[in-house]
Coordinates of all heavy atoms in Angstrom, one line a residue:
I89 N -0.4 -14.3 4.4 CA -1.5 -13.8 3.6 C -1.0 -13.4 2.2 O -1.8 -13.6 1.2 CB -2.1 -12.5 4.3 CG1 -2.7 -12.9 5.7 CG2 -3.1 -11.8 3.5 CD1 -3.0 -11.8 6.6
M90 N 0.2 -12.9 2.1 CA 0.7 -12.4 0.8 C 1.4 -13.4 0.0 O 1.9 -13.1 -1.1 CB 1.6 -11.2 1.1 CG 1.1 -10.0 1.8 SD -0.2 -9.2 0.9 CE 0.6 -8.7 -0.6
A91 N 1.4 -14.7 0.5 CA 2.1 -15.7 -0.2 C 1.6 -15.9 -1.7 O 2.5 -16.0 -2.6 CB 2.0 -17.0 0.5
P92 N 0.3 -15.9 -1.9 CA -0.1 -16.1 -3.3 C 0.3 -14.9 -4.2 O 0.7 -15.0 -5.4 CB -1.6 -16.2 -3.2 CG -1.9 -16.6 -1.9 CD -0.8 -16.0 -1.0
T93 N 0.3 -13.7 -3.6 CA 0.7 -12.5 -4.4 C 2.2 -12.5 -4.7 O 2.6 -12.2 -5.8 CB 0.3 -11.2 -3.6 OG1 -1.1 -11.2 -3.3 CG2 0.7 -10.0 -4.4
F94 N 3.0 -12.8 -3.7 CA 4.4 -12.9 -3.9 C 4.8 -14.0 -4.8 O 5.7 -13.8 -5.6 CB 5.1 -13.1 -2.5 CG 5.1 -11.9 -1.6 CD1 5.2 -12.0 -0.2 CD2 4.9 -10.6 -2.1 CE1 5.1 -11.0 0.6 CE2 4.8 -9.5 -1.3 CZ 4.9 -9.7 0.1
S95 N 4.1 -15.1 -4.8 CA 4.3 -16.2 -5.7 C 4.0 -15.7 -7.2 O 4.8 -16.1 -8.1 CB 3.5 -17.4 -5.4 OG 3.6 -18.4 -6.3
A96 N 3.0 -15.0 -7.3 CA 2.6 -14.5 -8.7 C 3.7 -13.5 -9.2 O 4.1 -13.5 -10.3 CB 1.3 -13.8 -8.7
V97 N 4.2 -12.6 -8.3 CA 5.3 -11.7 -8.6 C 6.5 -12.4 -9.1 O 7.2 -12.1 -10.1 CB 5.6 -10.7 -7.5 CG1 6.8 -9.9 -7.8 CG2 4.4 -9.8 -7.2
Y98 N 6.8 -13.5 -8.3 CA 8.0 -14.2 -8.7 C 7.9 -15.0 -10.0 O 8.9 -14.9 -10.8 CB 8.3 -15.3 -7.5 CG 9.5 -16.1 -7.8 CD1 10.8 -15.6 -7.5 CD2 9.4 -17.4 -8.2 CE1 11.9 -16.4 -7.7 CE2 10.6 -18.2 -8.4 CZ 11.8 -17.6 -8.2 OH 12.9 -18.4 -8.4
S99 N 6.8 -15.6 -10.2 CA 6.6 -16.4 -11.5 C 6.4 -15.5 -12.7 O 6.8 -15.9 -13.8 CB 5.4 -17.4 -11.3 OG 4.2 -16.7 -11.0
E100 N 5.7 -14.3 -12.5 CA 5.4 -13.5 -13.7 C 6.4 -12.4 -14.0 O 6.4 -11.9 -15.1 CB 4.0 -12.8 -13.4 CG 2.9 -13.8 -13.3 CD 1.6 -13.1 -13.0 OE1 1.5 -11.9 -13.1 OE2 0.6 -13.8 -12.7
A101 N 7.3 -12.1 -13.0 CA 8.2 -11.0 -13.2 C 9.7 -11.4 -13.0 O 10.5 -11.2 -13.8 CB 7.9 -9.8 -12.3
V102 N 9.9 -12.0 -11.8 CA 11.3 -12.3 -11.5 C 11.9 -13.4 -12.3 O 13.0 -13.2 -12.9 CB 11.4 -12.7 -10.0 CG1 12.9 -13.1 -9.6 CG2 10.9 -11.6 -9.1
V103 N 11.2 -14.5 -12.5 CA 11.8 -15.6 -13.3 C 11.9 -15.2 -14.7 O 13.0 -15.5 -15.3 CB 10.8 -16.9 -13.2 CG1 11.3 -17.9 -14.1 CG2 10.9 -17.4 -11.7
P104 N 10.9 -14.6 -15.4 CA 11.2 -14.2 -16.8 C 12.3 -13.2 -16.9 O 13.1 -13.2 -17.9 CB 9.9 -13.5 -17.2 CG 8.8 -14.2 -16.3 CD 9.5 -14.4 -15.0
Y105 N 12.5 -12.3 -15.9 CA 13.6 -11.3 -16.0 C 14.9 -12.0 -15.9 O 15.9 -11.7 -16.6 CB 13.4 -10.3 -14.9 CG 14.6 -9.3 -14.8 CD1 14.8 -8.3 -15.8 CD2 15.5 -9.3 -13.8 CE1 15.8 -7.4 -15.8 CE2 16.6 -8.5 -13.7 CZ 16.7 -7.5 -14.7 OH 17.8 -6.6 -14.7
L106 N 15.1 -13.0 -15.0 CA 16.3 -13.7 -14.8 C 16.6 -14.5 -16.0 O 17.8 -14.8 -16.3 CB 16.3 -14.5 -13.5 CG 16.2 -13.8 -12.2 CD1 16.1 -14.7 -11.0 CD2 17.3 -12.8 -12.0
N107 N 15.6 -15.0 -16.7 CA 15.8 -15.8 -17.9 C 16.1 -15.0 -19.1 O 16.2 -15.5 -20.2 CB 14.6 -16.8 -18.1 CG 14.5 -17.8 -17.0 OD1 15.5 -18.2 -16.4 ND2 13.3 -18.3 -16.8
G108 N 16.0 -13.7 -19.0 CA 16.2 -12.8 -20.1 C 15.0 -12.7 -21.0 O 15.1 -12.1 -22.2
E109 N 13.8 -13.1 -20.6 CA 12.6 -13.0 -21.4 C 12.0 -11.6 -21.3 O 11.2 -11.3 -22.2 CB 11.6 -14.1 -21.0 CG 12.2 -15.5 -21.1 CD 11.2 -16.5 -20.5 OE1 10.2 -16.1 -20.1 OE2 11.6 -17.7 -20.5
L110 N 12.2 -10.9 -20.3 CA 11.6 -9.6 -20.1 C 12.7 -8.6 -19.8 O 13.7 -8.9 -19.1 CB 10.6 -9.6 -18.9 CG 9.3 -10.4 -19.1 CD1 8.5 -10.3 -17.8 CD2 8.5 -9.8 -20.3
A111 N 12.5 -7.3 -20.3 CA 13.4 -6.3 -19.9 C 13.1 -5.8 -18.5 O 12.1 -6.2 -17.9 CB 13.3 -5.1 -20.9
F112 N 14.0 -5.0 -17.9 CA 13.8 -4.6 -16.5 C 12.5 -3.8 -16.3 O 11.8 -4.0 -15.4 CB 15.0 -3.7 -16.1 CG 14.9 -3.3 -14.7 CD1 15.2 -4.2 -13.6 CD2 14.5 -2.0 -14.3 CE1 15.1 -3.8 -12.3 CE2 14.4 -1.6 -13.0 CZ 14.7 -2.5 -12.0
E113 N 12.2 -2.9 -17.3 CA 11.0 -2.1 -17.1 C 9.7 -3.0 -17.3 O 8.8 -2.8 -16.6 CB 11.0 -1.0 -18.2 CG 12.0 0.1 -18.0 CD 13.4 -0.4 -18.5 OE1 13.4 -1.5 -19.1 OE2 14.4 0.3 -18.3
E114 N 9.8 -4.0 -18.2 CA 8.7 -4.9 -18.4 C 8.5 -5.8 -17.1 O 7.3 -6.0 -16.7 CB 8.9 -5.7 -19.6 CG 8.9 -5.0 -20.9 CD 9.3 -5.8 -22.1 OE1 9.9 -6.9 -21.9 OE2 9.0 -5.4 -23.2
A115 N 9.6 -6.2 -16.6 CA 9.5 -7.0 -15.3 C 8.9 -6.2 -14.2 O 8.1 -6.8 -13.4 CB 10.9 -7.6 -15.0
L116 N 9.3 -5.0 -14.1 CA 8.8 -4.1 -13.0 C 7.3 -3.9 -13.1 O 6.6 -4.0 -12.2 CB 9.5 -2.8 -13.0 CG 9.2 -1.8 -11.9 CD1 9.5 -2.4 -10.5 CD2 9.9 -0.5 -12.1
S117 N 6.9 -3.7 -14.4 CA 5.4 -3.5 -14.6 C 4.7 -4.8 -14.3 O 3.6 -4.8 -13.7 CB 5.2 -3.1 -16.0 OG 3.8 -2.9 -16.3
A118 N 5.2 -5.9 -14.8 CA 4.6 -7.2 -14.5 C 4.5 -7.6 -13.1 O 3.5 -8.2 -12.6 CB 5.3 -8.3 -15.3
G119 N 5.6 -7.2 -12.3 CA 5.6 -7.5 -10.9 C 4.6 -6.7 -10.1 O 4.2 -7.1 -9.0
L120 N 4.3 -5.5 -10.6 CA 3.4 -4.6 -9.9 C 1.9 -5.1 -10.0 O 1.1 -4.8 -9.1 CB 3.5 -3.2 -10.4 CG 4.6 -2.3 -9.8 CD1 4.6 -0.9 -10.6 CD2 4.4 -2.1 -8.4
E121 N 1.6 -5.8 -11.1 CA 0.2 -6.2 -11.3 C -0.4 -7.0 -10.2 O -1.5 -6.7 -9.8 CB 0.1 -6.9 -12.7 CG 0.2 -5.9 -13.9 CD -0.8 -4.8 -13.8 OE1 -2.0 -5.1 -13.5 OE2 -0.4 -3.6 -14.0
P122 N 0.3 -8.1 -9.7 CA -0.4 -8.8 -8.6 C -0.5 -8.0 -7.3 O -1.5 -8.1 -6.6 CB 0.6 -10.0 -8.4 CG 1.4 -10.1 -9.7 CD 1.5 -8.7 -10.2
I123 N 0.4 -7.1 -7.1 CA 0.3 -6.2 -5.9 C -0.8 -5.2 -6.1 O -1.6 -5.0 -5.1 CB 1.6 -5.5 -5.6 CG1 2.7 -6.5 -5.4 CG2 1.5 -4.5 -4.5 CD1 4.1 -5.9 -5.2
R124 N -1.0 -4.7 -7.3 CA -2.1 -3.8 -7.6 C -3.4 -4.5 -7.4 O -4.4 -3.9 -6.9 CB -1.9 -3.2 -9.0 CG -0.9 -2.0 -9.1 CD -0.7 -1.7 -10.5 NE -1.9 -1.5 -11.3 CZ -2.5 -0.3 -11.4 NH1 -1.9 0.8 -10.8 NH2 -3.6 -0.1 -12.1
E125 N -3.5 -5.7 -7.9 CA -4.7 -6.5 -7.8 C -5.1 -6.7 -6.3 O -6.3 -6.6 -5.9 CB -4.5 -7.8 -8.5 CG -5.8 -8.7 -8.6 CD -6.9 -8.0 -9.4 OE1 -6.6 -7.2 -10.3 OE2 -8.1 -8.3 -9.1
F126 N -4.1 -7.0 -5.5 CA -4.4 -7.2 -4.1 C -4.9 -5.9 -3.4 O -5.8 -5.9 -2.7 CB -3.1 -7.6 -3.3 CG -3.2 -7.7 -1.9 CD1 -3.8 -8.8 -1.2 CD2 -2.7 -6.7 -1.1 CE1 -3.9 -8.9 0.1 CE2 -2.9 -6.7 0.3 CZ -3.4 -7.8 0.9
M127 N -4.2 -4.8 -3.8 CA -4.7 -3.5 -3.2 C -6.1 -3.1 -3.7 O -6.9 -2.6 -2.9 CB -3.7 -2.4 -3.6 CG -2.3 -2.5 -2.9 SD -1.3 -1.1 -3.0 CE -0.9 -1.1 -4.8
F128 N -6.4 -3.3 -5.0 CA -7.7 -3.0 -5.5 C -8.8 -3.8 -4.8 O -9.9 -3.3 -4.5 CB -7.8 -3.3 -7.0 CG -7.3 -2.1 -7.8 CD1 -6.2 -2.3 -8.7 CD2 -7.9 -0.9 -7.8 CE1 -5.8 -1.2 -9.5 CE2 -7.5 0.2 -8.5 CZ -6.4 0.0 -9.4
T129 N -8.4 -5.1 -4.5 CA -9.4 -6.0 -3.8 C -9.8 -5.5 -2.4 O -11.0 -5.6 -2.0 CB -8.8 -7.4 -3.7 OG1 -8.5 -7.9 -5.0 CG2 -9.9 -8.3 -3.1
H130 N -8.9 -4.8 -1.7 CA -9.1 -4.4 -0.4 C -9.2 -2.9 -0.2 O -9.0 -2.4 0.9 CB -8.0 -5.0 0.6 CG -7.9 -6.5 0.5 ND1 -8.9 -7.3 1.2 CD2 -7.1 -7.3 -0.1 CE1 -8.5 -8.6 1.0 NE2 -7.5 -8.6 0.2
T131 N -9.5 -2.2 -1.3 CA -9.6 -0.7 -1.3 C -11.1 -0.4 -1.5 O -11.7 -0.9 -2.4 CB -8.7 -0.1 -2.3 OG1 -7.4 -0.4 -2.1 CG2 -8.9 1.4 -2.3
R132 N -11.6 0.5 -0.6 CA -13.0 0.9 -0.8 C -13.1 1.9 -2.0 O -12.2 2.7 -2.2 CB -13.4 1.6 0.5 CG -13.6 0.7 1.7 CD -14.1 1.4 2.9 NE -14.4 0.5 4.0 CZ -13.5 0.0 4.8 NH1 -12.3 0.3 4.7 NH2 -13.9 -0.8 5.8
E133 N -14.2 1.8 -2.7 CA -14.4 2.6 -3.9 C -14.4 4.1 -3.5 O -13.9 4.9 -4.3 CB -15.6 2.2 -4.6 CG -15.9 2.9 -5.9 CD -17.1 2.4 -6.6 OE1 -17.7 1.4 -6.2 OE2 -17.5 3.1 -7.6
K134 N -15.0 4.4 -2.3 CA -15.1 5.8 -1.9 C -13.7 6.4 -1.7 O -13.5 7.5 -2.1 CB -16.0 5.9 -0.6 CG -16.2 7.3 -0.1 CD -17.1 7.3 1.1 CE -16.4 6.6 2.3 NZ -17.3 6.7 3.5
D135 N -12.8 5.6 -1.1 CA -11.5 6.1 -0.8 C -10.7 6.3 -2.1 O -10.0 7.3 -2.3 CB -10.7 5.2 0.1 CG -11.4 5.0 1.4 OD1 -12.0 6.0 1.9 OD2 -11.3 4.0 2.0
L136 N -10.9 5.4 -3.0 CA -10.2 5.5 -4.3 C -10.7 6.7 -5.1 O -10.0 7.4 -5.8 CB -10.3 4.2 -5.1 CG -9.6 4.1 -6.5 CD1 -8.1 4.3 -6.2 CD2 -9.9 2.8 -7.1
E137 N -12.0 6.9 -5.1 CA -12.7 8.0 -5.8 C -12.2 9.3 -5.3 O -12.0 10.3 -6.0 CB -14.2 7.9 -5.7 CG -14.9 8.9 -6.4 CD -16.4 8.8 -6.3 OE1 -16.9 7.8 -5.7 OE2 -17.2 9.6 -6.8
M138 N -12.0 9.4 -4.0 CA -11.5 10.7 -3.4 C -10.1 11.1 -3.9 O -9.9 12.2 -4.3 CB -11.4 10.5 -1.8 CG -10.9 11.8 -1.1 SD -10.7 11.5 0.6 CE -9.2 10.4 0.6
F139 N -9.2 10.1 -4.0 CA -7.9 10.5 -4.5 C -7.9 10.7 -6.0 O -7.1 11.5 -6.5 CB -6.9 9.3 -4.1 CG -6.5 9.3 -2.7 CD1 -7.1 8.5 -1.8 CD2 -5.5 10.2 -2.2 CE1 -6.7 8.4 -0.4 CE2 -5.1 10.2 -0.9 CZ -5.7 9.3 0.0
V140 N -8.7 10.0 -6.7 CA -8.8 10.3 -8.1 C -9.3 11.7 -8.4 O -8.8 12.5 -9.2 CB -9.7 9.3 -8.8 CG1 -10.0 9.7 -10.3 CG2 -9.1 7.9 -8.8
D141 N -10.3 12.1 -7.6 CA -10.9 13.5 -7.7 C -9.9 14.6 -7.3 O -9.7 15.6 -7.9 CB -12.1 13.6 -6.9 CG -13.3 12.8 -7.4 OD1 -13.2 12.5 -8.6 OD2 -14.2 12.5 -6.6
L142 N -9.1 14.3 -6.2 CA -8.1 15.2 -5.7 C -7.0 15.4 -6.7 O -6.4 16.5 -6.8 CB -7.6 14.8 -4.4 CG -8.5 14.9 -3.2 CD1 -7.9 14.3 -1.9 CD2 -9.0 16.3 -3.0
R143 N -6.7 14.4 -7.5 CA -5.6 14.6 -8.5 C -6.2 15.2 -9.8 O -5.4 15.5 -10.8 CB -5.0 13.2 -8.9 CG -4.3 12.6 -7.7 CD -3.4 11.4 -8.2 NE -2.3 11.9 -9.0 CZ -1.3 11.1 -9.5 NH1 -1.3 9.8 -9.1 NH2 -0.4 11.6 -10.2
G144 N -7.5 15.4 -9.9 CA -8.1 16.1 -11.0 C -8.1 15.2 -12.3 O -8.1 15.7 -13.4
E145 N -8.1 13.9 -12.0 CA -8.2 12.9 -13.1 C -9.6 12.6 -13.5 O -10.5 12.7 -12.7 CB -7.4 11.7 -12.8 CG -5.9 11.9 -12.5 CD -5.3 10.6 -12.0 OE1 -6.0 9.6 -11.8 OE2 -4.0 10.6 -11.9
E146 N -9.8 12.2 -14.7 CA -11.1 11.7 -15.2 C -11.4 10.3 -14.5 O -10.5 9.6 -14.1 CB -11.2 11.6 -16.7 CG -11.0 12.9 -17.4 CD -11.1 12.8 -18.9 OE1 -11.2 11.6 -19.4 OE2 -11.0 13.8 -19.6
R147 N -12.7 10.0 -14.4 CA -13.1 8.8 -13.8 C -12.6 7.6 -14.7 O -12.9 7.5 -15.9 CB -14.6 8.7 -13.7 CG -15.1 7.4 -13.0 CD -16.6 7.4 -12.9 NE -17.1 6.3 -12.2 CZ -17.2 6.2 -10.9 NH1 -16.8 7.2 -10.1 NH2 -17.6 5.0 -10.3
P148 N -11.7 6.7 -14.1 CA -11.1 5.7 -14.9 C -12.2 4.6 -15.3 O -13.1 4.3 -14.5 CB -10.1 5.1 -14.0 CG -10.6 5.4 -12.6 CD -11.3 6.7 -12.7
A149 N -12.0 4.1 -16.5 CA -12.9 3.1 -17.0 C -12.6 1.7 -16.5 O -13.5 0.9 -16.2 CB -12.9 3.1 -18.5
T150 N -11.3 1.4 -16.3 CA -10.8 0.1 -15.8 C -9.8 0.4 -14.7 O -9.3 1.5 -14.5 CB -10.2 -0.7 -16.9 OG1 -9.1 -0.1 -17.5 CG2 -11.3 -1.0 -18.0
R151 N -9.4 -0.7 -14.1 CA -8.4 -0.6 -13.0 C -7.0 -0.2 -13.6 O -6.2 0.4 -13.0 CB -8.3 -1.9 -12.3 CG -9.5 -2.3 -11.4 CD -9.2 -3.6 -10.7 NE -10.3 -3.8 -9.7 CZ -10.4 -4.9 -8.9 NH1 -9.4 -5.8 -9.0 NH2 -11.4 -5.1 -8.1
A152 N -6.8 -0.6 -14.9 CA -5.5 -0.3 -15.5 C -5.3 1.2 -15.7 O -4.2 1.6 -15.9 CB -5.4 -1.1 -16.9
D153 N -6.4 1.9 -15.7 CA -6.4 3.4 -15.9 C -6.0 4.1 -14.7 O -5.7 5.3 -14.7 CB -7.7 3.9 -16.5 CG -8.0 3.3 -17.8 OD1 -7.1 2.9 -18.6 OD2 -9.2 3.2 -18.1
V154 N -6.0 3.4 -13.5 CA -5.7 4.1 -12.2 C -4.2 4.0 -12.0 O -3.6 2.9 -12.0 CB -6.5 3.4 -11.1 CG1 -6.2 4.1 -9.8 CG2 -8.0 3.4 -11.4
D155 N -3.6 5.1 -11.7 CA -2.2 5.2 -11.4 C -1.9 4.5 -10.1 O -2.7 4.6 -9.1 CB -1.7 6.6 -11.4 CG -0.2 6.7 -11.2 OD1 0.5 6.1 -12.0 OD2 0.2 7.4 -10.2
T156 N -0.7 3.9 -10.0 CA -0.3 3.1 -8.8 C -0.2 4.1 -7.6 O -0.6 3.7 -6.5 CB 1.0 2.4 -9.0 OG1 0.9 1.5 -10.1 CG2 1.4 1.6 -7.7
F157 N 0.3 5.3 -7.8 CA 0.4 6.3 -6.7 C -0.9 6.8 -6.2 O -1.0 7.5 -5.2 CB 1.4 7.4 -7.1 CG 2.8 7.0 -7.4 CD1 3.3 6.7 -8.6 CD2 3.6 6.7 -6.3 CE1 4.6 6.3 -8.8 CE2 4.9 6.3 -6.5 CZ 5.4 6.1 -7.7
T158 N -2.0 6.5 -7.0 CA -3.3 6.9 -6.5 C -3.9 5.7 -5.7 O -4.6 6.0 -4.7 CB -4.2 7.2 -7.7 OG1 -3.6 8.3 -8.5 CG2 -5.6 7.6 -7.2
V159 N -3.5 4.5 -6.1 CA -4.1 3.3 -5.4 C -3.5 3.2 -4.0 O -4.2 2.9 -3.0 CB -3.8 2.1 -6.2 CG1 -4.4 0.8 -5.5 CG2 -4.4 2.2 -7.6
I160 N -2.2 3.5 -3.8 CA -1.5 3.2 -2.6 C -2.2 4.0 -1.4 O -2.5 3.4 -0.4 CB 0.0 3.5 -2.7 CG1 0.6 2.5 -3.6 CG2 0.7 3.5 -1.3 CD1 2.1 2.8 -3.9
P161 N -2.3 5.3 -1.4 CA -2.9 6.0 -0.3 C -4.4 5.6 0.0 O -4.8 5.5 1.1 CB -2.8 7.5 -0.6 CG -2.7 7.5 -2.1 CD -1.9 6.3 -2.5
A162 N -5.1 5.3 -1.1 CA -6.5 4.8 -0.9 C -6.5 3.5 -0.2 O -7.3 3.2 0.7 CB -7.2 4.7 -2.3
F163 N -5.6 2.6 -0.6 CA -5.5 1.3 0.1 C -5.1 1.4 1.5 O -5.7 0.7 2.4 CB -4.4 0.4 -0.7 CG -4.0 -0.8 0.0 CD1 -4.9 -1.9 0.1 CD2 -2.8 -0.9 0.7 CE1 -4.6 -3.1 0.7 CE2 -2.5 -2.1 1.3 CZ -3.3 -3.2 1.4
V164 N -4.2 2.4 1.8 CA -3.7 2.5 3.2 C -4.9 3.0 4.1 O -5.1 2.4 5.2 CB -2.5 3.5 3.3 CG1 -2.2 3.8 4.7 CG2 -1.3 2.9 2.6
I165 N -5.6 4.0 3.7 CA -6.7 4.5 4.6 C -7.8 3.5 4.7 O -8.5 3.4 5.7 CB -7.2 5.9 4.1 CG1 -7.8 5.8 2.8 CG2 -6.1 6.9 4.1 CD1 -8.5 7.1 2.4
S166 N -8.0 2.7 3.6 CA -9.0 1.6 3.7 C -8.6 0.6 4.7 O -9.4 0.1 5.5 CB -9.2 1.0 2.4 OG -9.8 1.9 1.4

Side-chain angles (χ1 to χ4, degrees):
I89 295 168
M90 300 296 298
T93 303
F94 291 155
S95 178
V97 172
Y98 180 77
S99 61
E100 297 176 10
V102 178
V103 173
Y105 175 71
L106 295 178
N107 293 336
E109 301 172 1
L110 292 177
F112 181 78
E113 294 79 6
E114 295 174 339
L116 184 61
S117 178
L120 276 176
E121 286 306 315
I123 300 177
R124 281 169 53 90
E125 185 65 26
F126 174 82
M127 290 192 293
F128 274 120
T129 303
H130 301 285
T131 301
R132 291 179 173 84
E133 183 177 352
K134 181 175 66 174
D135 298 329
L136 185 59
E137 182 180 356
M138 177 185 70
F139 284 98
V140 171
D141 292 339
L142 290 176
R143 294 195 67 173
E145 299 176 352
E146 297 181 358
R147 185 177 180 87
T150 62
R151 291 181 175 182
D153 299 330
V154 183
D155 185 54
T156 302
F157 292 101
T158 303
V159 180
I160 293 175
F163 169 74
V164 172
I165 64 173
S166 296

